[in-house]
Amino acid sequence: MWDNFINGFNNISPQVWQLIGVSTYETIYMSFAATLFAIVFGLPLGVWTFLTQPQQALANAKVNRVLEAVINIGRSIPFIILLFDLMPVTRFLVGTTLGTTASIIPLGVSAMPFFARLTANALGDIPSGLTETAKAMGTSVWQLVTKFYLPEALPMLIKATTLTLVTLIGYSAMAGAVGGGGLGNTAISYGLHRNMPYVLWIATIIIVLIVMICERYGNKLADRFDHR
């Protein structure tokens, strides 16, 4: 059994290696693009949620409850269900529900409330003394956010981005199960359906390596901006 398995590795054709290379690129493309989507929409949502909390600059209990509900509900929907629920939206925006570009929509939407929650938590960890000092200086809400909150929370936001990216790498493999492309699609199409287990193992190893690299350099970048 193991001899056949090892021979399978040794006999991988150049075409299969090329397919694995393309799939690796697709996974990276999907994950990073979806992470950018989550940041663009999740960061403002998280900041707004934080600012509407009690004793904050835009304190508003009703608005905060609505925002909290949006984030909690969004985080509670399983990705595989969201993937199917968003198919009409994906088809409208992209023109298809298959392929790597189409997968970015559900991946980004699923990560948006997750990143928003991490953002709100990161801002909530800022010492209250800094906030009081900024308010005493007569800063506007915009200045408070851009000059004090975001720079102070930058290391935590970088770690939140890294965590979001790592999560989406795993989700991208799930998207591949329904025609989303990437290593997940290759692992299932070739590793399972065509009885090529070595392809499944290679795809798994590459995904693990991508996650480890992202975590390593994401944490290093966060530490570089942490001046505490």
Side-chain angles (χ1 to χ4, degrees), residues 128-143:
S128 59
L130 178 65
T131 303
E132 297 302 325
T133 302
K135 290 180 179 178
M137 296 172 60
T139 57
S140 64
V141 175
W142 175 255
Q143 291 173 328

Side-chain angles (χ1 to χ4, degrees), residues 187-198:
I188 293 172
S189 299
Y190 288 81
L192 294 180
H193 295 165
R194 301 191 185 186
N195 195 27
M196 299 168 69
Y198 44 88

